[in-house]
């Protein structure tokens, strides 16, 4: 793990290469108190953040979870008396995630056995517009985008964006919980802020160009999916047309197939197909009446 002070008082904790289970977190300090964005997967991963705060005589007052995925909240037990908060629906989703350790064992077999005794705290639902964020940070809520609800923090004075999983760098995301089209729109809004530094949820610290590269990927996945629905094609047809372009070389390339499958499901939904319905042939339409 590397800790990099990307701007005065803002330190990014990055776990390269950012593949499954290896996520990033951010410490934002002002005076003697601090806010942490995300708590990684396991307590031992988050210990470094606690140590970094302590070495600067800073008390972590608040832990804010950007979204409900376990790799961003599983390690929150190390923050002692800090207030742990999330956007209200995200807090409810985290409660559910933490209540299903067997499911987590199956989703993340590499860490199987760790989830039943994780001891992670359920965040308190919080009105983020009223949350005290050091360095004049502004919360931005999106959703559905990367997940059902995603929170980013924008520091206009320093032009730093803590994007969490709305952006990754060098590793393709798995886009199975939100809306691929909604995520591309969220990235457009983040690009319009013109950040100089983007702390991603996975992979190295990036820039506005990283946001543009990921947006380009998602726009392409979405348009290939819409073409597949228009022409009656499937995932293989869409994948054959896929051109990685600026994200070629990013890790987890196999996720593109999963993302295309999800994007096709979402495009079918927009086209009026019912969930789970097969290809709608003329015969099937007439039988339905
Ligand atoms: Zn993540």
């Amino acid at each position: 793990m590397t800790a990099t002070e990307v701007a005065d008082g803002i330190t990014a904790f990055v776990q390269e290469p950012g593949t499954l289970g290896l996520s990033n977190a951010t410490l934002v300090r002002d005076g003697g108190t601090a806010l942490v964005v995300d708590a990684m997967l396991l307590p031992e991963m988050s210990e470094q953040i606690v140590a970094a705060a302590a070495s600067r005589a800073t008390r972590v007052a608040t832990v804010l979870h950007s979204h409900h995925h376990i790799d961003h909240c599983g390690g929150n037990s190390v923050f002692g008396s800090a207030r742990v908060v999330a956007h209200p629906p995200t807090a409810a989703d985290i409660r559910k995630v933490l209540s299903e350790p067997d499911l987590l064992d199956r989703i993340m077999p590499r860490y199987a056995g760790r989830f039943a005794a994780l001891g992670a705290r359920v965040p308190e639902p919080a009105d983020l517009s009223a949350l005290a964020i050091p360095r004049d940070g502004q919360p931005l809520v999106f959703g559905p985008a990367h997940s059902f609800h995603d929170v980013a923090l924008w520091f206009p004075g320093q032009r730093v964006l803590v994007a969490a999983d709305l952006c990754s760098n060098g590793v393709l995301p798995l886009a199975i919980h939100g809306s691929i089209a909604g995520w591309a729109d969220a990235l457009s809004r983040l690009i319009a802020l013109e950040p100089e530094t983007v702390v991603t949820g996975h992979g190295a610290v990036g820039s506005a160009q990283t946001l543009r590269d990921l947006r380009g990927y998602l726009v392409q996945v979405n348009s290939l999916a819409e073409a597949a629905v228009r022409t009656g094609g499937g995932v293989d047809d869409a994948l054959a047309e896929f051109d990685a372009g600026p994200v070629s070389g990013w890790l987890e390339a196999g996720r593109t197939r999963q993302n295309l499958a999800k994007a096709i499901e979402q495009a079918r939904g927009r086209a009026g197909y019912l969930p789970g319905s097969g290809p709608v042939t003329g015969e099937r339409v007439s039988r339905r009446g």
Side-chain angles (χ1 to χ4, degrees):
M1 188 184 312
T2 57
T4 308
E5 189 154 354
V6 298
D8 201 20
I10 305 178
T11 304
F13 294 82
V14 173
Q15 298 189 97
E16 295 264 26
T19 41
L20 191 70
L22 297 176
S23 64
N24 302 336
T26 307
L27 176 71
V28 188
R29 294 176 291 118
D30 210 344
T33 60
L35 175 141
V36 168
V37 184
D38 287 342
M40 300 177 170
L41 178 69
L42 300 171
E44 62 263 35
M45 294 172 173
S46 283
E47 288 287 4
Q48 267 203 38
I49 307 169
V50 175
S55 74
R56 293 169 167 97
T58 299
R59 186 182 72 87
V60 175
T62 311
V63 177
L64 168 66
H65 292 311
S66 63
H67 65 290
H68 73 286
H69 289 162
I70 190 68
D71 56 328
H72 298 262
C73 60
N76 73 16
S77 64
V78 301
F79 293 101
S81 61
R83 189 177 171 216
V84 177
V85 300
H87 183 46
T90 300
D93 291 338
I94 290 175
R95 175 183 294 280
K96 183 164 189 304
V97 165
L98 293 176
S99 73
E100 298 174 319
D102 297 348
L103 179 62
L104 294 171
D105 283 348
R106 286 200 299 279
I107 295 170
M108 306 187 93
R110 191 174 156 203
Y111 302 96
R114 291 300 311 271
F115 299 112
L118 206 49
R121 290 164 62 188
V122 174
E124 164 196 336
D127 174 3
L128 299 187
S129 65
L131 190 69
I133 300 171
R135 307 277 169 182
D136 298 323
Q138 300 171 357
L140 308 171
V141 181
F142 298 93
H146 150 267
S147 70
F148 309 126
H149 306 273
D150 297 281
V151 173
L153 289 190
W154 170 232
F155 297 88
Q158 295 162 297
R159 311 213 71 76
V160 173
L161 175 70
V162 177
D165 271 8
L166 287 164
C167 193
S168 60
N169 189 6
V171 55
L172 291 176
L174 192 54
I176 55 166
H177 274 157
S179 158
I180 289 163
W183 190 352
D185 288 345
L187 284 167
S188 296
R189 288 170 56 193
L190 295 177
I191 291 163
L193 297 172
E194 300 181 10
E196 279 170 18
T197 305
V198 176
V199 182
T200 63
H202 292 263
V205 172
S207 64
Q209 188 57 45
T210 321
L211 299 172
R212 285 192 285 269
D213 290 346
L214 182 61
R215 182 181 175 279
Y217 170 79
L218 295 171
V219 165
Q220 186 188 178
V221 164
N222 192 54
S223 63
L224 289 173
E226 290 191 332
V229 172
R230 261 195 324 271
T231 60
V235 176
D236 289 320
D237 305 293
L239 195 58
E241 297 290 318
F242 176 73
D243 173 8
V247 302
S248 60
W250 284 28
L251 301 174
E252 304 277 22
R255 288 176 172 173
T256 295
R257 167 176 278 277
Q258 287 167 278
N259 293 339
L260 283 166
K262 191 70 189 178
I264 288 171
E265 184 188 312
Q266 292 173 351
R268 285 168 61 87
R270 290 193 294 274
Y273 288 72
L274 295 172
S277 64
V280 179
T281 63
E283 183 192 33
R284 191 155 167 177
V285 169
S286 65
R287 256 202 246 133
R288 269 194 197 152

